[in-house]
């Protein structure tokens, strides 16, 4: 089927677009990585690893999704390791 039809069917069935779904998956992956850091973990690297090329957009979307800044998630995870 044509991509446009697939996108429309996806939206009709789920109530959101495939791109929104993909962004949520990438944000959840970033949260997991920030919550379980390894040595040298940075917000910038996690954002890039999860497919976000604009750090500002990543930080905004992360905050809207989880109610905290990515740096806060990382700092809390690092403080619990100590």
């Amino acid at each position: 089927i044509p991509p446009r039809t697939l996108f429309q069917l996806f939206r009709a069935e789920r109530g959101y677009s495939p791109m929104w779904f993909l962004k949520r998956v990438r944000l959840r992956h970033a949260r997991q990585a920030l919550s379980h850091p390894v040595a040298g973990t940075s917000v910038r690297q996690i954002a890039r690893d999860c497919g976000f090329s604009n750090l500002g957009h990543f930080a905004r979307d992360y905050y809207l999704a989880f109610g905290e800044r990515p740096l806060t998630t990382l700092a809390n995870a690092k403080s619990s390791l100590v």
Side-chain angles (χ1 to χ4, degrees):
I1 66 175
R4 181 178 170 99
T5 303
L6 181 61
F7 275 48
Q8 289 172 338
L9 290 172
F10 188 98
R11 182 183 291 275
E13 281 294 314
R14 297 195 175 219
Y16 48 84
S17 73
M19 297 311 291
W20 185 88
F21 175 77
L22 178 59
K23 183 182 280 190
R24 290 292 300 186
V25 168
R26 291 170 36 218
L27 286 167
R28 284 194 308 265
H29 183 76
R31 185 169 178 86
Q32 179 71 18
L34 290 167
S35 297
H36 300 90
V38 296
T41 297
S42 71
V43 171
R44 179 181 304 269
Q45 188 59 49
I46 295 296
R48 288 196 178 159
D49 290 348
C50 293
F52 294 93
S53 58
N54 184 306
L55 194 57
H57 290 172
F58 167 71
R60 180 200 61 213
D61 292 341
Y62 189 95
Y63 183 82
L64 291 172
F66 304 113
E68 70 180 9
R69 299 180 192 283
L71 189 57
T72 303
T73 303
L74 181 59
N76 289 340
K78 285 182 176 180
S79 69
S80 68
L81 294 175
V82 176

